[in-house]
Amino acid sequence: MKNIDKAIVLTLNRTWRAIGQRTVRQAFCDLLSGTALAMDIRYELDENGVVQATGPIDCVPVNWEEWLGLPVRSCDLAIQTPRRKVRVPTVIVVANYAGMPLWRPGVTRRSIYERDGGICQYTGRRVAWSDGNLDHVVPRSRGGANSFENLVWSDRGVNTRKADRLPEEAGLRLLREPRAPVAQPIFRRIRNPKHADWRWFLKY
């Protein structure tokens, strides 16, 4: 199966909150070892047996043996074993983990841009990705660090004018003191669901 090593399986903790993504191979290993249950997400069928994906009528966590007995529907991915086709789960539940991993971005151009909302922190104007860059509030030549607390999104022209000076030396004032982003639950970083089933678990 070409999708065996793709991270297309959503992982939930035991309170059914999303905590990450697993490859199909990893998900099957978790099911086989008993550390996770697969979510049997059931939908109504029309008169032709086609799934009506307007919303699940039930979501039931099942173990590996129960999962092997489920039929492969027309909407399912499956792998072929020597004995049968096995449905690929879209969602698994880690049986004994209730925690919520936190995510904090690294210090990158993208993360500074997103933190500042694309707003030049000296002029208050929105600056396109191609027209802005990062400014070290305290210049590197004067000991400034590559940190969230010392980097801001800036208009290129303003940054060039500021050069290796402090803001007050260049006649500039920051809109606000730069800070590190607050750590977020990791499920908020899952922006591109790999399957329609995920949407029922990414609403909160």
Side-chain angles (χ1 to χ4, degrees), residues 11-19 99-100 185 187-188 201 204:
T11 304
L12 311 179
N13 66 13
R14 69 183 185 191
T15 63
W16 291 19
R17 298 190 71 188
I19 57 173
M100 175 54 66
F187 73 87
R188 292 183 179 168
F201 304 96
Y204 50 85

Side-chain angles (χ1 to χ4, degrees), residues 48 53 78 84 103 114-115 129 157-158 172 189 198:
N48 298 313
R84 59 166 71 88
W103 174 87
E114 290 182 353
R115 182 202 62 188
W129 176 260
V158 173
L172 300 170
R189 299 300 300 174
W198 291 21

Side-chain angles (χ1 to χ4, degrees), residues 170-188:
L172 300 170
R173 178 181 295 181
L174 285 168
L175 296 180
R176 58 178 177 269
E177 182 181 352
R179 300 180 185 276
V182 175
Q184 300 179 0
I186 200 161
F187 73 87
R188 292 183 179 168

Side-chain angles (χ1 to χ4, degrees), residues 130-203:
S130 58
D131 296 327
N133 58 14
L134 300 184
D135 175 64
H136 289 77
V137 178
V138 177
R140 282 180 293 181
S141 63
R142 299 171 69 168
N146 287 313
S147 67
F148 280 114
E149 294 79 3
N150 191 51
L151 285 166
V152 295
W153 187 247
S154 172
D155 179 278
R156 285 184 185 274
V158 173
N159 196 3
T160 299
R161 190 172 83 244
K162 177 176 175 286
D164 62 351
R165 295 178 290 177
L166 297 173
E168 55 269 25
E169 294 172 349
L172 300 170
R173 178 181 295 181
L174 285 168
L175 296 180
R176 58 178 177 269
E177 182 181 352
R179 300 180 185 276
V182 175
Q184 300 179 0
I186 200 161
F187 73 87
R188 292 183 179 168
R189 299 300 300 174
I190 302 174
R191 296 176 177 173
N192 298 303
K194 303 297 192 302
H195 194 280
D197 286 349
W198 291 21
R199 58 187 160 167
W200 313 116
F201 304 96
L202 296 175
K203 290 184 176 182

Side-chain angles (χ1 to χ4, degrees), residues 107-124:
V107 182
T108 64
R109 188 171 188 259
R110 172 62 64 181
S111 61
I112 299 296
Y113 175 85
E114 290 182 353
R115 182 202 62 188
D116 293 344
I119 303 296
C120 174
Q121 294 301 291
Y122 296 114
T123 66

Side-chain angles (χ1 to χ4, degrees), residues 16-117:
W16 291 19
R17 298 190 71 188
I19 57 173
Q21 300 166 230
R22 303 285 275 170
T23 67
V24 174
R25 188 188 304 275
Q26 291 170 328
F28 277 126
C29 288
D30 292 340
L31 296 176
L32 279 164
S33 68
T35 59
L37 302 172
M39 190 70 79
D40 179 17
I41 301 173
R42 303 171 183 175
Y43 295 92
E44 287 189 14
L45 303 178
D46 66 15
E47 63 274 10
N48 298 313
V50 177
V51 170
Q52 301 298 294
T54 54
I57 57 175
D58 206 359
C59 299
V60 181
V62 299
N63 63 28
W64 176 243
E65 292 302 321
E66 294 169 316
W67 186 258
L68 288 177
L70 295 177
V72 177
R73 303 163 299 186
S74 60
C75 62
D76 294 323
L77 292 175
I79 61 169
Q80 180 69 56
T81 72
R83 297 180 61 184
R84 59 166 71 88
K85 275 190 175 182
V86 180
R87 187 194 301 184
V88 170
T90 55
V91 182
I92 62 173
V93 182
V94 180
N96 296 310
Y97 180 70
M100 175 54 66
L102 297 178
W103 174 87
R104 191 189 300 274
V107 182
T108 64
R109 188 171 188 259
R110 172 62 64 181
S111 61
I112 299 296
Y113 175 85
E114 290 182 353
R115 182 202 62 188
D116 293 344

